Amino acid sequence: MPTYNKLVRDRIPEIIERTGATFNTTILSETDYIKELKKKCYEELDEYAAADNDKDAVEELADLLELMYALAKVHGVDFYEIEKVRQEKAEKRGGFQERIFLIDTE
């Protein structure tokens, strides 16, 4: 039996069950849940970085966005609050659309 030891989406046990396979799961404490969400962000970010086409990149971005929704909830805000903070930062410091790469300063 393969060992995964990782946070999975809510419907994964149901999907595994439909295949007839057996599995073991546990419900994480709040502290462990946050830790695993953070680890999952790195996993999905690595998968995004490794994507070699737009379709795969978009799939991984969607996974990252799902994690952002979960993390926002953990921190007691909804995604609209995250978006509000993003917009405020964009107004003050800009976004990343102009592709500016800072070499150095004196």
Side-chain angles (χ1 to χ4, degrees), residues 5 10 34 41 50-52 74 89 93 95 100 103:
N5 289 326
D10 297 339
I34 294 168
C41 284
D52 60 1
V74 160
K89 289 183 86 169
R93 302 187 69 161
I100 299 168
I103 306 295

Side-chain angles (χ1 to χ4, degrees), residues 53-101:
N53 61 66
D54 289 342
K55 181 184 179 298
D56 291 345
V58 169
E59 286 282 327
E60 299 311 328
L61 288 172
D63 289 342
L64 283 163
L65 187 57
E66 190 67 37
L67 287 161
M68 293 294 296
Y69 276 92
L71 285 164
K73 186 174 182 181
V74 160
H75 293 292
V77 296
D78 61 24
F79 204 73
Y80 298 106
E81 181 64 25
I82 300 287
E83 176 59 17
K84 179 181 166 197
V85 172
R86 186 203 65 78
Q87 287 176 350
E88 290 169 358
K89 289 183 86 169
E91 287 173 17
K92 289 179 188 171
R93 302 187 69 161
F96 295 97
Q97 284 68 45
E98 293 182 28
R99 299 187 270 181
I100 299 168
F101 185 81

